[in-house]
């Protein structure tokens, strides 16, 4: 059992809206408090067809949008043999969706795009998702007009980046763990160990270390 003093978010579906879920926060053994709201678009709308979308809003001010994701698959026409074409009576098969290997999380205030990439597994490692964030997201307050004219750290190429990975705990497990990727200290031979920063259990509880 995880330490109840750690901040943990609990995702609970809304009882009156199947397209919405409330994210509650508990820390130091305190009672659950609503923090965010997850909203999915109405699947009956034309714009929602064949896409996955979700948005994160403030729980108390439903007009405040923090982040959103939109994933649209690519489509390909399967190649059939002559025998398969005859079996289909010459009717072309429906196109097959291809799940993209990357998707983008759009963050707001400050605006920032986080690209999440899927890294295929190898013989000695499992597949995982990785992304990077700037070490600094907000501009340091300054009275200098020159400082205020500089680009925000989130879009500056010189801002140091921090790499993260989401890894599944096992092939049959629904639990995934987010780690801060260790940096190489001597080429590829020596590497700092990964540091666990969060655990997402069963798609319901997210604990931050």
């Amino acid at each position: 059992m995880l330490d109840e003093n750690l901040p943990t978010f609990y995702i609970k579906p809304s009882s009156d809206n199947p397209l919405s879920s409330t994210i509650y926060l508990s820390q130091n053994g305190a009672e659950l408090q609503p923090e965010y709201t997850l909203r999915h678009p109405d699947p009956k709308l034309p714009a929602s067809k064949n896409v996955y979308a979700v948005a994160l809003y403030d729980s108390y001010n439903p007009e405040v949008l923090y982040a959103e994701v939109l994933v649209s698959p690519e489509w390909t026409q399967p190649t059939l043999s002559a025998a398969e074409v005859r079996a289909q009576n010459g009717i072309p098969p429906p196109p097959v969706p291809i799940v993209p290997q990357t998707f983008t999380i759009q963050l707001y205030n400050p605006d920032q795009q986080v690209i999440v990439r899927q890294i295929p597994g190898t013989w000695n490692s499992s597949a995982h998702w990785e992304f990077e964030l700037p070490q600094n997201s907000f501009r340091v307050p300054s009275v200098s007009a020159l400082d205020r004219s500089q680009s925000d750290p989130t879009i500056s190429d010189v801002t140091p980046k921090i790499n993260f990975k989401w890894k599944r705990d096992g092939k049959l497990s629904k639990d995934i763990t987010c780690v801060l990727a260790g940096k190489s200290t001597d080429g590829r031979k020596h590497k700092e160990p990964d540091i666990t920063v969060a655990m997402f259990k069963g798609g319901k509880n997210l604990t931050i270390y």
Side-chain angles (χ1 to χ4, degrees):
M1 183 176 179
L2 296 177
D3 190 344
E4 66 175 5
N5 294 321
L6 295 173
T8 301
F9 295 92
Y10 298 85
I11 303 176
K12 297 186 178 182
S14 173
S15 58
D16 56 354
N17 185 359
L19 301 176
S20 177
S21 298
T22 301
I23 302 179
Y24 296 87
L25 172 63
S26 176
Q27 186 175 5
N28 298 321
E31 295 293 331
L32 296 180
Q33 297 293 331
E35 288 288 328
Y36 307 103
T37 300
L38 276 178
R39 298 185 201 167
H40 292 273
D42 188 346
K44 298 179 182 179
L45 297 176
S48 303
K49 185 178 181 180
N50 296 327
V51 299
Y52 173 85
V54 65
L56 183 70
Y57 290 86
D58 185 84
S59 181
Y60 295 97
N61 189 341
E63 301 303 321
V64 175
L65 174 62
Y66 291 117
E68 58 185 350
V69 173
L70 174 64
V71 181
S72 301
E74 298 179 356
W75 298 85
T76 182
Q77 195 70 31
T79 302
L80 302 181
S81 64
E84 291 173 326
V85 172
R86 288 193 298 270
Q88 295 284 346
N89 295 323
I91 301 175
V96 177
I98 301 176
V99 179
Q101 299 297 309
T102 65
F103 65 91
T104 301
I105 303 174
Q106 177 65 55
L107 303 178
Y108 298 102
N109 194 25
D111 292 356
Q112 178 184 350
Q113 289 187 335
V114 180
I115 300 176
V116 184
R117 299 179 175 85
Q118 183 183 27
I119 307 302
T122 62
W123 66 273
N124 62 346
S125 64
S126 58
H128 64 274
W129 295 87
E130 66 179 25
F131 63 96
E132 63 179 18
L133 293 174
Q135 186 168 320
N136 299 310
S137 296
F138 295 91
R139 189 182 307 177
V140 177
S142 174
V143 297
S144 169
L146 178 61
D147 290 342
R148 295 197 299 271
S149 67
Q150 300 299 314
S151 300
D152 289 336
T154 56
I155 62 175
S156 175
D157 293 334
V158 299
T159 302
K161 302 295 194 299
I162 305 175
N163 296 320
F164 296 88
K165 298 179 182 179
W166 278 106
K167 302 189 295 184
R168 192 176 298 277
D169 292 347
K171 291 184 178 181
L172 302 179
S173 174
K174 293 184 179 180
D175 300 341
I176 56 176
T177 301
C178 184
V179 299
L180 172 63
K183 298 181 180 179
S184 297
T185 57
D186 183 16
R188 296 186 176 181
K189 295 183 179 180
H190 301 284
K191 177 177 172 294
E192 297 175 349
D194 295 340
I195 301 175
T196 300
V197 295
M199 180 180 292
F200 196 28
K201 298 185 67 64
K204 296 181 179 179
N205 303 338
L206 174 64
T207 299
I208 309 295
Y209 287 86

